[in-house]
Amino acid sequence: MFKTVPGKFIKAGDITYNDGTGAVSVYNNDVFDAEKNNLKFNERLLLAASANSEGKVGSQFFITLDSLPSLNGSNHTIFGRIMTGKDVINMIEGVDEFKLKKALYES
């Protein structure tokens, strides 16, 4: 996990640098075209492959923390839904929300 935006998403899967700049896949260290489907970002806890601006997918993915209709029609591909471990997702989101509020308060 390298980025959390409370109320939006948790982003992870950068197995190269762990900061969001790496995106190799397990398939010959290359990226591949995002797969299109008609699924909508209309609920919490969807799992999606994160595509770059060229519509290519590597190892990065994200978990939605709310409905994100602005992503409908994008190159990001929904491929699952979190079924168990929701308490862990809530904990991660809560910790990062606390850090964000603390930083705003201290500045």
Side-chain angles (χ1 to χ4, degrees):
M1 179 184 75
F2 61 84
K3 183 176 185 178
T4 302
V5 178
K8 300 283 186 186
F9 59 82
I10 295 172
K11 197 164 182 185
D14 177 356
I15 58 176
T16 308
Y17 304 112
N18 198 34
D19 65 2
T21 61
V24 299
S25 77
V26 295
Y27 303 105
N28 298 324
N29 288 334
D30 203 1
V31 294
F32 51 94
D33 292 334
E35 296 179 23
K36 292 287 191 178
N37 60 41
N38 293 325
L39 300 175
K40 304 291 183 199
F41 288 93
N42 60 0
E43 62 185 276
R44 181 176 167 83
L45 302 177
L46 295 176
L47 190 58
S50 184
N52 65 20
S53 60
E54 299 169 353
K56 302 289 184 182
V57 175
S59 58
Q60 294 185 31
F61 65 93
F62 61 95
I63 300 166
T64 62
L65 299 175
D66 201 352
S67 173
L68 298 172
S70 63
L71 296 181
N72 293 337
S74 70
N75 286 323
H76 306 301
T77 305
I78 298 170
F79 64 89
R81 179 181 288 119
I82 302 298
M83 301 301 289
T84 62
K86 295 174 187 176
D87 55 333
V88 175
I89 300 296
N90 293 337
M91 182 182 69
I92 292 168
E93 182 180 19
V95 166
D96 283 346
E97 186 172 23
F98 171 77
K99 285 194 244 179
L100 176 65
K101 287 180 180 177
K102 184 174 185 264
L104 289 173
Y105 176 77
E106 291 176 348
S107 61

